[in-house]
Amino acid sequence: MSGLASHAGAVGTERVLSVRDLSVAFIAEGASRQVVSGVSFDVHAGETLAIVGESGSGKTVTALSIARLLSPKRARFEGDIRLAGENLLDLAEARMRDVRGRQIGFVFQEPMTSLNPVMTIGGQIAETLSRHRDLHGPAARAEALRLLERVRIVNAAKRFDDHPHQLSGGMRQRVMIAMALAGHPRLLIADEPTTALDVTVQAEILGLLRQLQRENGVAVLFITHDMGVVAEIADRTVVMSEGRVVETAQTSELLRAPAHACTRLLLSAAPALGELGAARRPMRFPTVDAASGDLISARETADTIETAGAPLLQVANLTKRFALPSGMFAPAKCLHALENVSFDLRRGETLAVVGESGCGKSTLGRALMRLVEPTGGSVRLDGTDILKLKRSALQTVRRNIQMVFQDPYASLDPRMDVGAIIAEPLIANGVIRPRDAREAVADLLRSVGLGADAASRYPYEFSGGQRQRVSIARALALKPKIIIADECVSALDNSVKAQVVNLLLDLQESLKLAFLFISHDMAVVERVSHRIAVMYCGEIVEIGPRADIFANPQHRYTRRLLAAAPSVAPSLQKTRIDTLADEIRSPIHPRGHTPEVREYKCVSADHLVAVA
């Protein structure tokens, strides 16, 4: 079996959690809406059970119901939820508060919204110890330090008095795990604990959970939509759709022979790394026929790259440094976000930019559009250096280079309907008159797979995938030559992610668009890209054709990213390498510091790697 079963000890026979015929209905304005129906499963000591499904499938509601975190005024429950034989639905709230933290530990998706921003991390762990283990003062501090060290927080004694905002996302999630384990729980519920993390940090968190489970024999209920993560960590898997369990199986068996169409769809949207082989062009994600449930095979895109003439975009030695505030006795320093970044992009080509958070990839996208002003270098679009243009001329050039952001809900004005949102750039740039907007908006909505009637609706009325389609329609409104897609699918479920990626590839094929695809998701990058640029601490350390980067990675950091990416195919899963524990070198230097000019060696045609 893949994942945890190959690393952890044997699963025990003791049944820690038993859920039988659980049904949950939400109550609003006197009406009830069924969201979970007849869900049943068991979790044993030392076992990891994964619950998977798309957004809205009921998996998180099921987890919240187990911990009784849904308000009884807004939710009605039926069925049995037994923890070590005790029915949690029958317990008084006072008793349930003892169960939470003492017998059930909970790790949420976004630790920044779960941790108290005005309390130190040590104080928050000590508070849990005081409530559930009656430890106070020095004893609580000593145990909190031990827990921080156990979840591999470096310099735990110094970090004890830090506040959550002073930690990275991965470190905050480690603190959440420490808090969840503080009460010595029998059951750990982890709800999408790695979704927002980079692949290397995700790999470290999954490895940490495996190790802690091996040491404690705790039962783990792991909620996710990522089948690659399921393959890494789960012993058994429950697949949910529309509030019901549609398939339950040993993870290895489910990956080998999925029985239900929903499972096949989830797996088709999570392809194994390296399965594209030597294919040089992007490959659409497979889809499932809604009527028959049969898998429709993926197909390679048409050749869209225009090789004649000069590249559409030429970036040379692009640099961006942010001055950091300095104290009376502290020397002035700069954050080197971008350092001598150079690459070309041709019409109809997709260049993927990959790397961990803080490597400079999002700053690169913003610098190309002058949303942040570069410190140096040049950015030539059709031969015109964007960095030398005045603001009045820049607006005209920006029509040719548009951006799709990560969070469509944050980038769409919630007070405007979709029609107004899409029409705004057309009217502002004088492309159409307001009275002609309706027809233009309808055409754009149809081009991204939405009906013309969507124009009268507001962003909150759409799903995440539909909102991202609206964002793409807005980016297409001015008929750009280049679209910068900054983590535009990272917040989406795998099946929705596959739909959006297929849409982007279709648009590229029909409109000859060039994409700068910024991402940390290596599986999506393999599908969508012609070439890949790997960024590390503000520099491109390796760049080349997608097939060459995946088949023959040369830089140590590239190998680290690929080793950390989860895979649904056990034969392609990779052993975690020691470099995952390496510290990322600091991009902060004294003001006036000039780094050495990076030299590159040619590995093969168009495949360059930085010389260490």
Side-chain angles (χ1 to χ4, degrees):
M1 182 181 293
S2 63
L4 183 63
S6 61
H7 298 280
V11 174
T13 57
E14 179 190 2
R15 184 183 301 164
V16 174
L17 178 70
S18 178
V19 177
R20 289 291 178 271
D21 298 320
L22 175 66
S23 295
V24 183
F26 286 163
I27 304 168
E29 298 179 354
S32 65
R33 178 171 61 92
Q34 199 78 17
V35 290
V36 171
S37 301
V39 169
S40 299
F41 58 82
D42 297 325
V43 190
H44 296 86
E47 179 184 38
T48 295
L49 177 75
I51 301 182
V52 301
E54 299 177 339
S55 291
S57 64
K59 57 187 187 296
T60 294
V61 171
T62 300
L64 294 174
S65 300
I66 292 168
R68 291 264 304 273
L69 291 174
L70 296 173
S71 169
K73 296 180 180 179
R74 296 185 178 181
R76 186 178 64 245
F77 306 92
E78 295 178 0
D80 274 0
I81 303 174
R82 294 189 177 272
L83 182 68
E86 187 175 29
N87 190 357
L88 301 183
L89 295 181
D90 292 340
L91 298 184
E93 180 57 29
R95 167 64 181 139
M96 196 63 209
R97 283 196 294 269
D98 289 333
V99 171
R100 297 189 203 105
R102 187 67 184 90
Q103 296 186 58
I104 300 176
F106 218 115
V107 181
F108 295 94
Q109 176 176 347
E110 179 45 68
M112 196 59 187
T113 60
S114 305
L115 295 170
N116 190 329
V118 299
M119 288 182 66
T120 65
I121 60 169
Q124 293 184 62
I125 297 174
E127 183 181 52
T128 303
L129 293 168
S130 173
R131 174 69 178 81
H132 295 292
R133 290 174 54 187
D134 199 28
L135 292 177
H136 307 278
R141 180 183 178 89
E143 178 64 7
L145 283 173
R146 188 187 71 81
L147 286 165
L148 287 173
E149 291 170 351
R150 192 176 180 193
V151 297
R152 303 178 199 167
I153 294 290
V154 179
N155 295 323
K158 293 182 179 180
R159 290 291 192 179
F160 186 91
D161 294 318
D162 282 353
H163 288 80
H165 73 272
Q166 296 175 279
L167 307 180
S168 68
M171 291 177 71
R172 285 194 291 265
Q173 198 61 288
R174 290 169 187 265
V175 172
M176 282 296 300
I177 294 171
M179 289 178 64
L181 294 174
H184 293 163
R186 305 188 67 183
L187 174 68
L188 180 66
I189 301 176
D191 186 7
E192 302 274 14
T194 62
T195 295
L197 304 178
D198 291 336
V199 288
T200 51
V201 181
Q202 174 180 268
E204 292 167 359
I205 294 298
L206 293 178
L208 174 62
L209 288 173
R210 283 195 296 265
Q211 178 183 338
L212 294 174
Q213 185 178 47
R214 190 164 55 236
E215 294 171 356
N216 294 355
V218 65
V220 176
L221 186 65
F222 199 97
I223 314 296
T224 186
H225 64 258
D226 191 332
M227 296 302 292
V229 170
V230 170
E232 292 277 330
I233 200 167
D235 295 292
R236 288 189 302 120
T237 299
V238 171
V239 182
M240 291 188 66
S241 176
E242 298 181 349
R244 298 180 182 276
V245 173
V246 297
E247 185 169 1
T248 302
Q250 293 290 322
T251 300
S252 57
E253 180 62 22
L254 183 137
L255 296 176
R256 187 186 65 80
H260 197 276
C262 290
T263 313
R264 293 196 294 272
L265 181 60
L266 288 169
L267 287 170
S268 70
L273 287 176
E275 69 177 4
L276 268 63
R280 291 279 167 176
R281 296 196 295 271
M283 181 79 73
R284 287 172 177 79
F285 279 94
T287 56
V288 172
D289 184 86
S292 66
D294 294 333
L295 190 67
I296 302 172
S297 298
R299 65 178 179 86
E300 199 172 13
T301 61
D303 189 1
T304 57
I305 302 176
E306 293 185 358
T307 56
L312 175 63
L313 183 71
Q314 296 171 292
V315 180
N317 302 316
L318 187 64
T319 299
K320 176 60 182 176
R321 298 171 185 169
F322 293 97
L324 300 178
S326 56
M328 183 178 297
F329 301 105
K333 293 184 178 182
C334 280
L335 170 66
H336 289 229
L338 297 174
E339 199 63 51
N340 292 319
V341 172
S342 301
F343 62 86
D344 293 337
L345 181 65
R346 294 190 173 273
R347 187 174 178 85
E349 181 184 31
T350 298
L351 174 66
V353 180
V354 302
E356 294 173 290
S357 293
C359 71
K361 56 187 188 294
S362 289
T363 302
L364 171 61
R366 287 164 169 76
L368 294 178
M369 295 190 67
R370 281 181 60 184
L371 297 177
V372 296
E373 288 292 341
T375 307
S378 65
V379 178
R380 296 185 180 277
L381 179 61
D382 275 334
T384 301
D385 191 347
I386 297 175
L387 304 189
K388 293 182 179 179
L389 296 178
K390 296 184 181 297
R391 284 287 172 182
S392 56
L394 182 60
Q395 181 177 349
T396 302
V397 173
R398 276 184 177 157
R399 291 174 55 174
N400 290 316
I401 181 167
Q402 292 288 300
M403 200 160 193
V404 179
F405 295 93
Q406 175 175 352
D407 185 353
Y409 198 75
S411 60
L412 300 175
D413 191 332
R415 300 166 298 178
M416 297 171 64
D417 62 43
V418 161
I421 288 171
I422 297 174
E424 186 177 35
L426 291 167
I427 297 170
N429 283 275
V431 177
I432 60 171
R433 293 171 294 183
R435 65 170 180 251
D436 299 325
R438 182 188 296 258
E439 185 177 347
V441 167
D443 289 340
L444 285 163
L445 286 170
R446 282 191 286 266
S447 73
V448 296
L450 296 173
D453 60 333
S456 61
R457 295 158 61 189
Y458 287 80
Y460 74 88
E461 299 181 79
F462 295 87
S463 68
Q466 289 174 325
R467 284 196 292 266
Q468 200 60 286
R469 288 173 183 264
V470 172
S471 296
I472 294 169
R474 182 178 59 181
L476 291 173
L478 297 175
K479 298 181 180 179
K481 298 177 181 178
I482 299 172
I483 288 182
I484 300 173
D486 186 7
E487 299 279 13
C488 71
V489 296
S490 65
L492 304 178
D493 285 348
N494 279 350
S495 57
V496 180
K497 183 185 299 184
Q499 295 168 15
V500 173
V501 167
N502 284 351
L503 170 63
L504 293 175
L505 294 178
D506 289 341
L507 292 170
Q508 182 175 61
E509 201 169 60
S510 60
L511 302 175
K512 290 293 184 79
L513 288 169
F515 286 108
L516 190 73
F517 193 85
I518 297 169
S519 181
H520 64 257
D521 189 328
M522 299 303 289
V524 172
V525 163
E526 184 179 23
R527 284 270 162 181
V528 80
S529 61
H530 294 91
R531 290 189 300 135
I532 297 174
V534 181
M535 288 195 69
Y536 175 73
C537 287
E539 297 179 303
I540 290 179
V541 295
E542 188 165 2
I543 185 169
R546 189 263 307 146
D548 293 354
I549 296 292
F550 275 86
N552 186 28
Q554 291 292 303
H555 197 275
R556 187 169 178 237
Y557 182 66
T558 309
R559 294 194 293 269
R560 166 182 171 153
L561 289 176
L562 291 173
S567 170
V568 296
S571 62
L572 292 175
Q573 288 175 16
K574 304 167 184 66
T575 303
R576 297 287 175 245
I577 56 176
D578 292 339
T579 54
L580 294 182
D582 290 352
E583 291 288 331
I584 300 294
R585 63 178 172 85
S586 175
I588 298 174
H589 301 281
R591 197 168 297 176
H593 170 76
T594 302
E596 295 181 9
V597 177
R598 184 72 63 185
E599 295 183 0
Y600 294 83
K601 70 175 181 179
C602 183
V603 180
S604 59
D606 299 324
H607 185 180
L608 303 175
V609 61
V611 178

